[in-house]
Amino acid sequence: MTVLNMLDNTQEFPDVETALEEPDGLLAVGGRLSPKRLENAYRRGIFPWYNENEPILWWSPNPRLILKPKNLIISRSLRKLIRKEKFQMSFDMAFEDVMDACSGYRAGTKGTWITQEMKTAYLKFHRLGFAHSVECWYQRELVGGLYGIAIGRVFYGESMFYKYSNASKVAFVRLVEMLLSWGYVLIDCQMQTQHLMNFGAENIPRNEFVQLLAQNCDLAPLAPAWKPFDLVE
């Protein structure tokens, strides 16, 4: 019989090697989405993912999909679109709006995990400087973007959305380019998707992923990062 790890009121997590193989990576249940709990989770390669009216479920899949910013692949068609400068970009100017849009975009699908509880917790995490957003605008309307967590030189992608074709792809490329300039070495993509594989993401063993986190989460970026800026015209 499978027995899940039940979290207590401390901020500690069980060893990720105790996660289930089926469903892949399910590690623990319970706890709260406090800032300290979330920081501890991401530092150890763990993230929350659950549906409305369910207890909090914590995951650490094996293998883990990652993207090293230096290995970003941009298709010819996307490069052409970016050169047209059709969209305007910003960072951390509309975090709550981006999270709401990601929630709405995924409503009725596997992504309904962005619950009100999650929104409240990650907005607090944003105010503490851990959670960040990338916004893509067209004619002053928010048409795409993504949000995630930044700790040390690691960025943990959470969700993205688009209302205009390719807007989320442009936002992602802009993010990766900036992460590279800031000295980031790793983007956690969590679970495998062909969309991210097309950008150069690769699967690595979980123990290798955890080692990379240990090496990079305590390193400061090489340049000032995550300063909000107005729309780039």
Side-chain angles (χ1 to χ4, degrees), residues 17-159:
E17 293 302 321
T18 66
L20 302 182
E21 293 184 6
E22 183 58 42
D24 179 26
L26 182 56
L27 176 68
V29 60
R32 299 183 301 116
L33 297 177
S34 66
K36 186 61 177 177
R37 174 84 74 174
L38 286 172
E39 182 183 358
N40 286 346
Y42 283 103
R43 282 178 170 270
R44 298 188 60 180
I46 303 163
F47 59 88
W49 184 36
Y50 63 103
N51 294 321
E52 194 79 58
N53 301 317
E54 289 182 352
I56 300 172
L57 302 178
W58 301 90
W59 302 77
S60 185
N62 185 31
R64 191 66 162 249
L65 190 71
I66 69 160
L67 172 65
K68 296 180 179 178
K70 65 181 181 179
N71 294 337
L72 176 67
I73 296 173
I74 308 174
S75 68
R76 291 178 62 185
S77 59
L78 186 54
R79 284 187 184 277
K80 184 177 180 179
L81 175 62
I82 292 173
R83 283 197 298 268
K84 290 182 178 179
E85 299 183 344
K86 182 175 186 177
F87 301 110
Q88 296 79 48
M89 308 301 303
S90 64
F91 288 160
D92 284 348
M93 296 297 293
F95 181 88
E96 189 170 6
D97 292 336
V98 168
M99 200 167 184
D100 284 342
C102 287
S103 174
Y105 175 65
R106 292 174 176 270
T109 71
K110 194 174 181 179
T112 54
W113 55 272
I114 306 179
T115 64
Q116 185 57 53
E117 182 181 29
M118 292 281 283
K119 292 177 184 177
T120 299
Y122 280 74
L123 184 58
K124 182 181 294 185
F125 217 33
H126 168 65
R127 289 169 178 159
L128 291 172
F130 289 100
H132 300 279
S133 60
V134 182
E135 299 92 22
C136 186
W137 308 80
Y138 179 66
Q139 296 181 349
R140 294 284 172 172
E141 178 185 356
L142 182 63
V143 295
L146 59 93
Y147 76 95
I149 309 302
I151 300 176
R153 296 183 189 175
V154 180
F155 184 81
Y156 305 80
E158 282 295 314
S159 187

